[in-house]
Amino acid sequence: MSINGLPLKFEILNWYAMLLKGAKHQTNSSPPTMASYSPLGDFSWICVGEHDLASFCIQRTIIDGLNLLFLCVFYLSLFISLIKKNSIWRSDRRDWVTIVVSICCVLSSITYFSNGLWILISKISKSNQLSWLVFFLKGLVWISFAVSLLVKRSKWIKILNSVWWVSSCLLVSALNIEMLIRVHSTHTFDMVTWPLSFLLLFCAIRNLGYFVHQQTPDSSQSEPLLVQKTENIQPGLDHSTFLSKLTFSWVNPILRLGYSKPLNLEDIPSPVPEDEANLAYQKFAHTWDVLLRDKSSNNTKNLVVWAIARVYLKENIHIAVCAFLRTISVVASPLILYAFVNYSNSNEEDLHQGLSILGCLILAKVVESLSQRHWFFNSRRSGMRMRSALMVAVYQKQLKLSSKGRRRHSTGEIVNYIAVDAYRMGEFPWWFHTTWTCGLQLFLAIGVLFGVVGLGALPGLVPLLICGLLNVPFAKAIKKCQSEFMIAQDERLRSTSEILNSMKIIKLQSWEDKFKTLVETLRAREFKWLAEAQFKKAFGTLIYWMSPTIISSVIFLGCILFKSAPLNAGTIFTVLATLRTMGEPVRMIPEALSVMMQVKVSFDRLNAFLLDDELKSDEIRRNTKQQSDNKVDIQAGNFSWDQESLTPTLKDLNLGIRWGHKVAVCGTVGSGKSSLLYAILGEIPKLSGTVTVRGRIAYVSQTSWIQSGTIRDNILYGKPMDELRYADAIKVCALDKDISGFSHGDLTEIGQRGINMSGGQKQRIQLARAVYSDADIYLLDDPFSAVDAHTAAVLFNDCVMTALKLKTVILVTHQVEFLSAVDKILVMEGGQITQSGSFEDLLTSGTAFEQLVNAHRDAITVLDINNEKLGESENVVTVHPDKPHGFSLAKESNEVEMSNKGLPGVQLTQEEEKEIGDVGWKPFWDYISVSNGSFFLCVALLSQTAFVVFQASSTYWLALAIQIPKISSSMLIGVYTVISFLSAVFVYFRSLFSAHLGLKASKAFFSCLTNAIFNAPMLFFDSTPVGRILTRASSDMSILDFDIPFSILFVASAGLEVITWIGIMASVTWQVLIVAILAMVATKYIQDYYLASARELIRINGTTKAPIMNYAAETSLGVVTIRAFNMVDRFFQNYLKLIDTDARLFFYSNASMEWLVLRIEVLQNFTLFTAAFLLVLLPKGYVAPGLVGLSLSYALTLTGTQIFVTRWFCNLSNYIISVERIKQFIHIPSEPPAVVEDKRPPSSWPSKGRIELQALKIRYRPSAPLVLKGITCTFKEGNRVGVVGRTGSGKTTLISALFRLVEPASGEILIDGLDICSMGLKDLRMKLSIIPQEPTLFKGSVRSNLDPLGLYSDDEIWKALEKCQLKTTISSLPNLLDSSVSDEGENWSAGQRQLFCLGRVLLKRNRILVLDEATACIDSATDAILQKIIRQEFSECTVITVAHRVPTVIDSDMVMVLSDGKLLEYDEPSILVETSSAFSKLVAEYWSSCRRNSLPKF
């Protein structure tokens, strides 16, 4: 810029002029006059002799005058506002945009004031004494801009400011553009303040948006706060304008709310109707049904794929258009670079041509940005719909799955279909479009290469083809790793789920080490494939970065050999830019293929599941209208669980059950009693015959199924509340006193699978659910097994015989004492009804029934002996629950028990814990410190630094060396190739060390989590749903495995690249630094603004996925009950709500990410446009064409790199939440150590088996009420001690204390004189044996269930099986001891599962044996045999029997009676029976119930 003709007194201004690179520009052109042109634009009022409106001076004066006019009006308006005492300062609208722009305005004003002050002090402008005033006034204008942004404004002041900002921006822009066209230059200050004018324009547009969306002030002020909050969020996608959709501005309300406070689930708007799961599923189901009808038997096509394709084809065409536009605009960038370099190389100066190229660049970048954002958003939105449809389809299928299908797909596998396979579809469309666009981009880029370098590009196709072909085996190898990893992960999660559901028995048996080793072994298999996949990816990175080096070097050689294009800056940097656009497809195609293969695996798994065997609707005829005497009819029925088996499970069934009849089904263990109920329900496959059911069914399963939720929810079961009927149901099921004992009454939360309820309470809640349902037919599968004799009598008389008096009831029971009261008895043996008739008829006509009755008679004979002594009591004691019994055995929860586990008013299962707000770098440092991965991180970062340095050096070498004639082409290419190869080596090291970091972290976190879970106290499992733990072990662990290590490195490496690229651009045109720094600052603010909401969205999303999995698992376990009650639709609707809740978080997470990326692209593109604009303005020859190419090639990648940094930083911020969530469980308090070395008992301990309880007090949590209240007594060695009491009196808590599942609050438990609290848990529990209340089997074999630790020989196992009555059954199986046991032992009856548990203790032969309701699920005959075996085998052992059946404990040496956690009585049963004791009253009640139910032959 020439300043010829200016007086010497302005020499100081040369310093400013020299700041511009174009200081030598136009030295030969005639200079503008002082009046018309001043280098800084400082003297707009010094227009002496100027009257032409075309003069820059006059135009500048007009702009300044208008600014001063607006300024005066603005301050006058503010003054009026003050007089009216309106509040000026505002807090709610001072967001990041306002703050950034106002800071920039203040900085500009400071600059102007400083310059004015400098001129005033140094007396530079002596020709015009007012020049300093110009700077001061401009400074005042800019400080006023800042004030106008920050103060609270009325509507009219808002309009005034908007008009001021818009007019200022337009006028300044018009002046600057005119100056550029006429004199090819502009002023230093204008370069800085012009971008600020655009920011003010942006603020004015935001004001316009405020006016559009603003509600009427008067009405909004009167609205409640809650309504206001909802309205703030409401204008979502479906109500937004085209411009709002285009720019994602419809996300603003939720981001604004998230910035002002931590978001809650209630703050997130519901999905729009077209995104709801129900609509997505209905579309999928309709298409699926059409395809299923058209499917031929030999057609093997994947129906899930075809259904998804048909449903979502239309919306994916729109996505494909966006993806295509983006691909075209990306490929156009190297051509624009080529045009730029050629323009700078030309000798002619044509600003119009330069600005045209700049316009093309702006258009290409705008199209690329908008199309890519909408491609990404809409593809994920489409994926969300696919995901919802498939998750619902899987759930709906499991509601229809037959018993055969359920055996093939365990609960864990079904949950995995939802959590992994269906969930993966959220990203499927994005990867699908990425795959084909990468191919297209590669093809077009090759076309660009041929267009630029001609035949010289031909040799480059050879290495390109080789690198492409290398990806094929590479992708196959990764696919194999992924498939094997998923199989291993499935197996681990199935085992983990089973272990978590059975943690109580594992702890009681001290099997933690065995099952922990099992999980670790399965993880090791999984880890092997994970490591292989990660190392292959590191190798893939090497191929990716070597490819462009090899290809570019070969192309440059081709140019020399074929002489198809000159090897100049234009050719070199266009080739490099084109290869960079090819780099993305080359890198993404293997990954995309890998993901697509994973998706194919998931599609195949889902297809196999959705095509599996369903429950046939014609298995039973349901007819509620047909009039008939019979409610249930079975004619010539043959049924089999295994349809391929030669022997049916049930055979030759002919059965008719009349309306209102009470029918009892009895028989020995495994005789087919439960299968008969399943046949009526239609759950067991029918081989032949007919089943007709007339009326609605209510079903009570043998193994109680309770949902997570309140007691009330479980009883109402989706039906509307009828208070009278509800109160009656609770009363007749003997739940009234239990509920009154809970701090929350019937709103008490039940843990997952009813874990915090006793067996009796769960069974009675089930029964109350059935009673409340007011069905026609009641199927009750042994509902009295888990309750004491008195409660059983209450349930039978008040519930079955009274409340259900007019209903048809089919009752499976082992309680012989109730049989005389029913209308009909069915005796089952070997899957057949061997006898049928009334009690009196059967007693005289057959052996099977007589055996059952005789066994029961033998058991109660001892009671008859003492009957005379208890005659008085009999007159007093009745079985009605509302009468007093002379003593109080309060029917409180097993674990007053339950209500005492938490503080009053605190539910047991709490809402899932999550962090709130920005937790800073702590989770990141936790990730590094837990894994001890600082070495790998440092080496990886050093490798990345070396990579960036070598990358920059190679391109700098090309830019500089191309200008030096002495350097030959071969040397140019050779040096470039060597430097590039070195950079590729370092990038390989970076990826390798990142993989090592990730693997080490995965191993460390998994080990810590596994140890924490297995060492957690039982209370943790009582209060934590299994789904929460499984989410940590599955999805959170997967994020640690795959995502976090590379995310850390991507952020660090790309951040380093951004700084380097800006440095390279600034070395060519330094002015770009001003815009770049402002853009970086603004980017940081935008990022922080976004993260405030995004972080909470991800955290909330972490708590919305687990309920889906819990609900699916719960449904899978209770599907028979759900179908029996005809509640399929209700469960389906509830599941839809859970899916929609999860989907809306996924939706807003993606939308807010695109909102962020779009704005950052705008900012970084502004840096690119500035760099390009400056290169157009620079004088010809001032910057070498090589440096122009270098600067622009990096400027073109700057936006992509910055987006890459931002996206991965945000991803990392979201991924790191998984570290938080896993750390929460790593730090749960652990139970006492397994072994205390200096307190280990002798190996022979306990040699006697003497147990002393000394003032034993138990509470479940600190500050909670006591559950056991100071029990003192001694169980002598070799004694058989019976523990009795009402349901919930503290019996199970006593057993828990003996095994230290809960630690004593005070007092001691001594075994053979040793305090059990002083020794390790393993040393204690290995020396105690228990048969638990709920028999638990694990998936595996008969052998692995009897002897999980592998300590015994086959001979010993067979002997144990013989003693526990299972030898005959297992001998008949083809695989003998290796016969399979399915998930939770579902293929064995409840009685058989209990016998397995007996087999375990017979093998262990410990001195102390605990029987916790051990024979509740077996008939009296088998019970009598087992009691005899226990007496024989454990004659010298201390046996503690907790029982509900009085005969089970009547022959004990001692009886302990508990009531409300206190020891009521402890003495020999013969002594207690002879006195008016609590035990004698229990015996009297039992005898009374036997007599009342008329056993005439006794």
Side-chain angles (χ1 to χ4, degrees), residues 1107-1370:
I1108 294 173
M1109 309 317 153
N1110 282 341
Y1111 200 76
E1114 226 166 37
T1115 303
S1116 180
L1117 293 168
V1119 70
V1120 175
T1121 303
I1122 293 166
R1123 292 196 286 233
F1125 278 89
N1126 200 21
M1127 282 289 170
V1128 169
D1129 287 342
R1130 173 179 159 255
F1131 274 77
F1132 182 68
Q1133 292 302 323
N1134 288 344
Y1135 187 71
L1136 288 177
K1137 290 174 188 171
L1138 292 173
I1139 295 286
D1140 284 338
T1141 300
D1142 190 54
R1144 62 181 173 171
L1145 286 150
F1146 178 83
F1147 177 78
Y1148 276 96
S1149 293
N1150 283 311
S1152 54
M1153 171 60 88
E1154 300 312 327
W1155 176 94
L1156 168 74
V1157 172
L1158 182 66
R1159 278 143 186 80
I1160 291 176
E1161 278 183 335
V1162 168
L1163 289 167
Q1164 293 304 330
N1165 281 337
F1166 200 64
T1167 307
L1168 164 65
F1169 301 153
T1170 304
F1173 188 51
L1174 289 169
L1175 290 171
V1176 169
L1177 294 181
L1178 283 173
K1180 295 291 181 184
Y1182 181 76
V1183 177
L1187 291 175
V1188 171
L1190 177 73
S1191 177
L1192 266 183
S1193 65
Y1194 280 117
L1196 285 171
T1197 60
L1198 178 65
T1199 302
T1201 311
Q1202 177 64 59
I1203 294 304
F1204 188 81
V1205 174
T1206 302
R1207 186 178 284 279
W1208 279 104
F1209 179 77
C1210 295
N1211 285 343
L1212 180 59
S1213 298
N1214 295 337
Y1215 293 151
I1216 215 76
I1217 290 167
S1218 290
V1219 175
E1220 283 178 16
R1221 288 162 54 77
I1222 291 174
K1223 283 274 287 182
Q1224 283 171 358
F1225 278 19
I1226 287 175
H1227 289 141
I1228 52 179
S1230 65
E1231 61 183 0
V1235 175
V1236 180
E1237 287 299 339
D1238 58 341
K1239 296 282 186 180
R1240 298 203 70 172
S1243 57
S1244 59
W1245 179 88
S1247 56
K1248 299 176 182 176
R1250 182 184 181 89
I1251 302 171
E1252 298 170 69
L1253 308 179
Q1254 297 179 356
L1256 180 66
K1257 294 181 180 179
I1258 298 286
R1259 55 165 54 96
Y1260 279 96
R1261 287 180 182 171
S1263 305
L1266 288 170
V1267 181
L1268 293 184
K1269 302 167 183 176
I1271 293 179
T1272 300
C1273 68
T1274 300
F1275 301 165
K1276 292 180 182 176
E1277 54 270 32
N1279 270 10
R1280 293 169 49 78
V1281 180
V1283 182
V1284 295
R1286 300 276 189 249
T1287 299
S1289 58
K1291 303 185 298 291
T1292 302
T1293 303
L1294 180 65
I1295 303 306
S1296 296
L1298 188 61
F1299 283 82
R1300 287 178 65 195
L1301 290 182
V1302 57
E1303 294 292 316
S1306 66
E1308 292 180 325
I1309 303 175
L1310 306 178
I1311 297 180
D1312 283 5
L1314 291 183
D1315 183 358
I1316 65 168
C1317 293
S1318 64
M1319 65 184 69
L1321 293 179
K1322 185 172 184 180
D1323 287 335
L1324 169 67
R1325 292 170 183 169
M1326 287 295 284
K1327 297 295 184 175
L1328 305 178
S1329 294
I1330 184 169
I1331 303 178
Q1333 187 172 0
E1334 293 182 7
T1336 304
L1337 297 187
F1338 298 91
K1339 187 169 183 178
S1341 65
V1342 170
R1343 180 188 281 104
S1344 68
N1345 270 281
L1346 285 166
D1347 180 24
L1349 305 181
L1351 301 175
Y1352 306 100
S1353 65
D1354 282 9
D1355 187 47
E1356 290 173 302
I1357 293 172
W1358 278 115
K1359 285 178 182 174
L1361 287 172
E1362 186 175 9
K1363 289 171 185 171
C1364 68
Q1365 311 293 298
L1366 278 173
K1367 184 175 181 180
T1368 307
T1369 306
I1370 292 169

Side-chain angles (χ1 to χ4, degrees), residues 428-676:
F428 161 61
W430 186 87
W431 283 106
F432 171 74
H433 291 293
T434 297
T435 307
W436 71 262
T437 51
C438 283
L440 177 65
Q441 192 170 318
L442 202 59
F443 178 76
L444 292 175
I446 291 169
V448 169
L449 279 178
F450 275 99
V452 172
V453 300
L455 284 175
L458 201 59
L461 293 181
V462 177
L464 180 65
L465 191 63
I466 292 169
C467 292
L469 290 173
L470 276 174
N471 282 327
V472 176
F474 188 72
K476 281 185 178 176
I478 287 182
K479 182 217 169 182
K480 185 191 175 188
C481 292
Q482 295 282 7
S483 299
E484 294 292 342
F485 176 84
M486 282 185 66
I487 292 167
Q489 188 186 51
D490 279 357
E491 184 62 21
R492 173 176 66 84
L493 291 176
R494 187 204 63 75
S495 287
T496 305
S497 176
E498 185 179 54
I499 288 164
L500 292 172
N501 286 325
S502 309
M503 189 54 83
K504 185 172 184 178
I505 187 66
I506 289 171
K507 286 193 173 293
L508 288 170
Q509 302 280 8
S510 195
W511 289 339
E512 294 100 319
D513 290 344
K514 148 78 180 162
F515 283 97
K516 190 169 126 189
T517 305
L518 170 66
V519 171
E520 286 171 345
T521 304
L522 293 171
R523 172 65 178 177
R525 196 184 309 162
E526 186 184 350
F527 192 80
K528 172 193 163 192
W529 294 109
L530 171 67
E532 197 170 322
Q534 298 295 65
F535 290 139
K536 278 186 169 63
K537 284 180 183 176
F539 184 70
T541 308
L542 177 65
I543 296 174
Y544 169 66
W545 284 105
M546 281 179 63
S547 302
T549 302
I550 298 167
I551 296 165
S552 59
S553 300
V554 172
I555 289 173
F556 295 153
L557 285 171
C559 290
I560 296 167
L561 293 173
F562 290 105
K563 296 181 180 177
S564 56
L567 203 61
N568 57 18
T571 304
I572 287 173
F573 285 102
T574 304
V575 167
L576 290 178
T578 307
L579 289 176
R580 211 169 271 132
T581 62
M582 292 167 71
E584 184 192 7
V586 170
R587 177 175 61 86
M588 292 297 289
I589 284 173
E591 196 172 346
L593 291 174
S594 169
V595 171
M596 295 306 289
M597 286 167 182
Q598 284 179 44
V599 167
K600 184 186 181 302
V601 170
S602 290
F603 271 134
D604 290 342
R605 282 155 55 97
L606 291 170
N607 193 62
F609 177 69
L610 293 178
L611 287 173
D612 213 328
D613 193 40
E614 289 186 6
L615 209 63
K616 293 180 177 63
S617 56
D618 60 349
E619 290 284 348
I620 59 171
R621 298 175 188 166
R622 291 187 185 274
N623 194 330
T624 55
K625 294 180 180 178
Q626 183 182 335
Q627 295 299 315
S628 171
D629 289 339
N630 286 351
K631 278 289 184 181
V632 178
D633 273 318
I634 302 178
Q635 296 176 358
N638 288 283
F639 306 86
S640 178
W641 289 112
D642 183 1
Q643 290 173 292
E644 296 171 5
S645 172
L646 298 175
T647 310
T649 308
L650 299 174
K651 51 197 173 203
D652 304 329
L653 288 188
N654 286 286
L655 177 65
I657 297 174
R658 297 172 70 83
W659 178 87
H661 271 204
K662 308 293 178 283
V663 177
V665 183
C666 56
T668 56
V669 171
S671 58
K673 302 184 295 298
S674 297
S675 295
L676 175 63

Side-chain angles (χ1 to χ4, degrees), residues 397-414 609 612-615 641 678 682-685 699 1115-1121 1123 1339 1382-1383 1386:
K397 180 70 180 185
Q398 81 160 353
L399 289 170
K400 299 176 182 176
L401 208 59
S402 68
S403 59
K404 185 179 177 183
R406 289 212 311 278
R407 283 201 300 277
R408 275 201 288 259
H409 307 278
S410 69
T411 297
E413 285 170 331
I414 292 171
F609 177 69
D612 213 328
D613 193 40
E614 289 186 6
L615 209 63
W641 289 112
Y678 281 128
E683 293 289 337
I684 182 169
Y699 171 64
T1115 303
S1116 180
L1117 293 168
V1119 70
V1120 175
T1121 303
R1123 292 196 286 233
K1339 187 169 183 178
S1382 65
D1383 264 1
E1386 282 183 348

Side-chain angles (χ1 to χ4, degrees), residues 1327-1439:
K1327 297 295 184 175
L1328 305 178
S1329 294
I1330 184 169
I1331 303 178
Q1333 187 172 0
E1334 293 182 7
T1336 304
L1337 297 187
F1338 298 91
K1339 187 169 183 178
S1341 65
V1342 170
R1343 180 188 281 104
S1344 68
N1345 270 281
L1346 285 166
D1347 180 24
L1349 305 181
L1351 301 175
Y1352 306 100
S1353 65
D1354 282 9
D1355 187 47
E1356 290 173 302
I1357 293 172
W1358 278 115
K1359 285 178 182 174
L1361 287 172
E1362 186 175 9
K1363 289 171 185 171
C1364 68
Q1365 311 293 298
L1366 278 173
K1367 184 175 181 180
T1368 307
T1369 306
I1370 292 169
S1371 298
S1372 66
L1373 298 173
N1375 295 324
L1376 302 175
L1377 291 179
D1378 294 320
S1379 299
S1380 70
V1381 176
S1382 65
D1383 264 1
E1384 303 189 5
E1386 282 183 348
N1387 56 336
W1388 298 83
S1389 74
Q1392 287 170 328
R1393 295 202 291 272
Q1394 197 71 284
L1395 296 177
F1396 265 98
C1397 296
L1398 178 61
R1400 287 172 186 158
V1401 302
L1402 287 168
L1403 281 170
K1404 284 178 81 173
R1405 305 303 296 265
N1406 284 327
R1407 297 292 297 184
I1408 297 173
L1409 170 64
V1410 177
L1411 306 175
D1412 187 4
E1413 321 284 2
T1415 56
C1417 298
I1418 55 181
D1419 59 88
S1420 295
T1422 312
D1423 185 12
I1425 295 167
L1426 292 182
Q1427 292 298 334
K1428 185 180 175 184
I1429 292 167
I1430 291 167
R1431 277 194 292 273
Q1432 289 172 352
E1433 297 295 325
F1434 297 95
S1435 57
E1436 297 179 2
C1437 301
T1438 304
V1439 179

